[in-house]
Amino acid sequence: MPGLGDATRGRLLFGGDYSPEQWPPDVWEEDVRLMREAGVNLATVGVFAWAALEPEPGRFDFGWLDTVLGLLHDGGIGVALATPTASPPPWLGHRHPETLPQGPDGVRRHYGSRNHYCASAPPYRRAALAVTEALAARYAHHPALRLWHIGNEYGTTCHCGHCAERFRGWLRARYGTLDALNAAWGTAVWSQRYSTWDEVTAPLTVQYIGNPTQDLDYQRFGSDLLLECYTAERDAVRAHNPAVPVTTNFMDLYRPVDGWRWAEEEDFVSLDTYPDPGDPGAALRGAMSKDVMRSLGGGPWLLMEQSPGAASWRPVSTPKRPGLNRLWSLQALARGADGVLHFQWRASRQGPERAHGALLPHAGPDSRVFREACALGRTLAELSEVDGLLGAPVAADVAVLLDWESWRAAELPHQPHAGFGYVDRLTEYYEPLWRANITCDFARPAADLSRYKLVLAPNLYQVTPAVAAGLRSYVAGGGTLVLGPFSGVADQDERVHIGGWPGLLMDVVGVRVEEHWPQASPGTIWQEWAEPRGAAVVESAQGGPLDGRPMVFRHEYGAGIAWYVGTVPAPDALAGLLARACAEAGVRPVLPDLPPGVEAVRRGGVVFLLDHDSGACEIRPAA
Ligand code: GLA
Ligand code: ZN
């Protein structure tokens, strides 16, 4: 199987989305000239070019793309060629309205934007494969082609009849019989029992609250359905040239697609990330999604999109201050990326994204932003020469468990606290380690965790017997586990564990939770009524309705230690607790005692020091 190395060919990638179909041909030559000036070596072409490639059904126009790829190739610039299937032309929706996605209320979304497709509709699937097939047949051996970029930011949902049909097929494969489905969905509640398969639908707008397990299954199905679209296109391009690596671009932590499942189907993982330059937590959030990408793919990944300036979809699209794009680019390299691409190369003059940042802004090459792009190009060229960087792994002693199953289930409607967010919990646990310059991987709960000294499970809502067995043997074998609140609550069918939480892990943490106690008051959003069952009490509630009750526990289990944190602690308290867990587990920072705001990451033979704060500190190597 090819990998990212087949795309980089020994150089860190630099560039961005390039939309020549938005510009007259005389601009293309200028584009290539300026790309060369900036040091761009990869352009992502064709992401939204379906209408330009297939102006009428079945009539392809590749002339312009031949010219563009030829110009890029002559300029020494490689191409990430996209299948354009994220945005069908109006002719598809006009001829086949069934290809337009339908909301749970039965209302169809019209064309006139993008992402307006139903992944189940046969005419969409046929047309998407046809354009993919035609592109692959023509360009799979083009000398400029470095990688295939399938679709764009998969995540569209639909609730139409075609989707219901596919959903029933998916459910039959999962449950076998209707009785098993009725049992799993708990349809004894509210007289929801299904008597024939035909009665089963996608979740639709209903009178009151819908069935949570139906909702959960529809989320699982939705991810699998889109994955099927991706793999169909991947297989089509691969068939023409198996040596070209294939990816699709993930968004930051994004619930609709299960990153673990998807990453298995990609030759390498790529990320679109748009932290808000106005958000004081942006560097933290950026570090976290970059670590997630490295972990999903288990190796080097590609930063597919970031904005060189503003992201125009924000209510206030603040640009990046001077140097910020470079800083965040280096953060990506530090955390395992082998390339830094942007949305987009040349700012769109028209259309919804005309206010979006670009490497070549509306002001033209005589601009701060273009000069910074050129400087970044030079930096990446220099870093390509550094031994032990390109392709190198990032070592981590800590794993944070990331579980789409728990994420979907913990955020279903009518859980105890509507504001209890899965990614918030992950971020709270990740943050103190990030501040302490301790590098974390993310891991699947069922993964082999034995190489980690410390495992954090901030919100392991769903615990299956296999996951419980894995965590039990991890701790028994000498590992340290920190299990956060609202964990071990339900099984994979959203059937609540009887007899106390965290269910199958009660004996491992030595704690039994009787009640979840969410709160709307300031202080904490969440506490639990819990009793130690072998664990030592480390912290108790101070004030509030559970004043004096134990909240944080530490349990020696086998050769290891299991912590249970039955609350959402104040940030300082959580930082203190995790510092103790790290120290006991022998987890060390990349470098100790750095000034606040300085991020240190070791990748291969290189230590990156990133100053997110003032830029006014000096760090000297130890004598
Ligand atoms: C996404 C898309 C791009 C572009 C950017 C704008 O990441 O993939 O095509 O729309 O958002 O921020
Ligand atoms: Zn549909």
Side-chain angles (χ1 to χ4, degrees), residues 211-294:
N211 181 301
T213 315
Q214 178 188 22
D215 186 337
L216 197 55
D217 273 343
Y218 206 68
Q219 294 188 51
R220 293 168 172 146
F221 159 75
S223 176
D224 287 357
L225 176 68
L226 290 171
L227 184 58
E228 198 182 272
C229 294
Y230 162 81
T231 53
E233 293 182 25
R234 177 203 64 192
D235 293 348
V237 300
R238 250 189 205 162
H240 285 272
N241 187 352
V244 179
V246 185
T247 189
T248 184
N249 43 351
F250 289 142
M251 288 172 261
D252 295 308
L253 279 162
Y254 182 61
R255 205 177 67 187
V257 298
D258 181 336
W260 296 116
R261 281 280 301 114
W262 280 64
E264 289 171 355
E265 303 291 347
E266 296 179 77
D267 292 324
F268 63 88
V269 163
S270 46
L271 169 69
D272 295 356
T273 185
Y274 293 89
D276 183 352
D279 170 11
L284 157 72
R285 275 178 255 289
M288 187 162 128
S289 39
K290 289 160 184 169
D291 283 347
V292 168
M293 287 306 125
R294 182 186 68 252

Side-chain angles (χ1 to χ4, degrees), residues 273-277 306-320 343 352-353 355-358:
T273 185
Y274 293 89
D276 183 352
Q306 64 177 349
S307 177
S312 55
W313 39 264
R314 287 215 163 82
V316 179
S317 349
T318 313
K320 285 177 171 169
F343 183 86
E353 297 185 315
H356 201 283

Side-chain angles (χ1 to χ4, degrees), residues 98 100-102 108 118-121 158-164 218 225:
E98 63 188 303
L100 296 168
Q102 197 168 295
R108 284 199 189 282
C118 161
S120 305
C158 176
H159 299 250
C160 77
H162 286 304
C163 287
Y218 206 68
L225 176 68

Side-chain angles (χ1 to χ4, degrees), residues 529-541:
W529 187 289
E531 292 285 352
R533 288 276 178 97
V537 175
V538 178
E539 297 280 349
S540 298

Side-chain angles (χ1 to χ4, degrees), residues 598-619:
V598 176
E599 175 180 338
V601 194
R602 184 188 305 277
R603 180 173 182 200
V606 180
V607 175
F608 285 79
L609 291 172
L610 308 166
D611 185 356
H612 294 286
D613 248 2
S614 64
C617 69
E618 195 177 319
I619 295 160

